[in-house]
Amino acid sequence: MRLAPSAANAALSMRALLLSAALCVLLWPLVHAVWLSFAPGDLLEAPTGEWSLRWYRSFFTSPRWTGGLANSLWVASLSAVFAVLLGTGLALGMTKAQAGDSSGDGRSDSLLARLVLLPLFIPPVVLGMALLPLMRALGLWGNLLSLAFAHALLGLPVVYLAVRDALQTLDPDLERAARGLGASASMTLLRITLPPLVPAIVFGALTAFVFSLNEFVIALFLATPTIETLPKVIWPNLRYTLTPIVAAASTVAVVFSLLLLAVTLVLRSWAAAWGSALFDRARSA
C-alpha cells in the first residue's frame, strides 16, 4: 500500500524531526562542555554573565597540558602510519591469497581476518593489561612508540576493512593485463592497484588518528609520568581537581577532531580525483 504524497511528506518530516532531536541529545554534552570552558571562576559551572578565556590561557601556558597535547599528536600520527602500513599490507596480501586459492578452502585467511578484527572486540582494559608486560619485555615502555604501537592495534581493523572493501571493487583483469604487458609487480602495485585505494587509505589513516587522539584506557597502562597523552593528563584532574581547565582541554581535543573530520572530507575528494586520474592514465598507457 503506497502512501499519498502528503502522508509520505509528513512521514519524512517526522523522521527528520526525530533524527534531529536524537542528534541534539547526543551533541548536548559536547556543547555543554564547550560552554563550561568559558567559566571565569574556579568551579566547573556554566558562566551566567561574564565569559572568560582564562582556562584556555592556563592550558596553553602549562607545559604539562601542552606537552600532553603534543604527545597525543605524535602518538596519533605514528599509530596512523603503523595502522596504514599493516592494514593495507594485510588487505592486499589476503585478497591476493584468496584470489589465488585454487582449493577454495580459505580457512587460514578467514582465521587471519578474525585475528585482525580482534582488537575491536577486546576491552581496552584487557588490551592494556596484556600490552604492559609485553612493552616492558621489549624495552619500549616509557617511550612514545609503545603507545603508538598499542593505538595502531585499534586503527588496524578500520584500515583493513576500508582497504579490503575498496579492493572488492577493483577488476583483477587490469592487474593481469599490466603484468602481461611487462609491468613489474611493484609497478603494477603503484600504478594500477594503489591509486583507486587512496580514498580508503586516507579514510582509514585519519580514523586511526582520531581513535588514538581520544584513547584513554590503554594510555593509563602504558603512559608514564614523563610520557603522558592529553586524555591521561585530563583523568587525574577529573578525579581530584575538577576545574574548567578540563573542559578547555576537552574542547581543544574536540576542535582537533573536527578539523580532522573536515580534512578527511577534503582529502577524500582530492584523493578520489587524483587516484582516478592516475588510474585512467595508467590504463590508457
Side-chain angles (χ1 to χ4, degrees), residues 170 174 191-193 195-196 274-284:
L170 296 184
L174 293 174
R191 301 192 63 180
I192 300 298
T193 306
W274 175 82
S276 178
L278 186 61
F279 179 73
D280 292 338
R281 192 186 311 159
R283 184 170 57 179
S284 62

Side-chain angles (χ1 to χ4, degrees), residues 19-265:
L19 290 175
S20 300
L23 184 62
C24 290
V25 170
L26 292 174
L27 291 179
W28 169 245
L30 177 61
V31 175
H32 189 64
V34 175
W35 186 20
L36 291 174
S37 68
F38 294 100
D42 294 333
L43 299 179
L44 191 63
E45 55 185 10
T48 55
E50 180 186 359
W51 289 39
S52 174
L53 296 176
R54 167 190 176 186
W55 299 108
Y56 288 98
R57 288 192 293 268
S58 298
F59 178 89
F60 287 108
T61 56
S62 169
R64 187 183 183 193
W65 287 100
T66 54
L69 177 61
N71 287 336
S72 289
L73 294 176
W74 273 111
V75 169
S77 300
L78 290 173
S79 67
V81 171
F82 296 150
V84 164
L85 292 177
L86 292 173
T88 304
L90 284 171
L92 287 169
M94 293 176 63
T95 301
K96 300 296 182 185
Q98 291 173 358
D101 186 8
S102 58
S103 65
D105 186 6
R107 292 182 179 177
S108 59
D109 297 330
S110 178
L111 177 61
L112 183 56
R114 290 188 177 93
L115 290 177
V116 173
L117 300 179
L118 196 58
L120 290 176
F121 304 99
I122 298 180
V125 63
V126 176
L127 198 58
M129 291 174 59
L131 289 173
L132 177 58
L134 176 62
M135 293 301 174
R136 291 182 67 92
L138 294 175
L140 294 176
W141 187 72
N143 192 305
L144 287 178
L145 285 177
S146 64
L147 286 166
F149 284 133
H151 288 179
L153 291 177
L154 302 177
L156 173 61
V158 179
V159 177
Y160 168 77
L161 290 174
V163 176
R164 188 196 65 178
D165 290 344
L167 281 169
Q168 303 300 323
T169 63
L170 296 184
D171 187 358
D173 291 335
L174 293 174
E175 294 183 351
R176 299 190 188 101
R179 296 302 301 275
L181 292 173
S184 63
S186 58
M187 183 179 295
T188 302
L189 177 65
L190 293 175
R191 301 192 63 180
I192 300 298
T193 306
L194 284 181
L197 302 180
V198 171
I201 293 174
V202 170
F203 169 78
L206 292 178
T207 303
F209 187 99
V210 173
F211 278 1
S212 174
L213 188 65
N214 297 285
E215 201 287 322
F216 159 69
V217 178
I218 294 177
L220 275 179
F221 290 90
L222 298 182
T224 67
T226 57
I227 302 295
E228 291 183 309
T229 59
L230 185 58
K232 175 66 170 56
V233 178
I234 289 176
W235 172 246
N237 285 272
L238 281 175
R239 295 192 63 187
Y240 305 116
T241 56
L242 192 58
T243 62
I245 195 172
V246 174
S250 302
T251 302
V252 171
V254 168
V255 168
F256 270 98
S257 299
L258 292 178
L259 287 176
L260 281 173
L261 177 60
V263 170
T264 302
L265 296 177

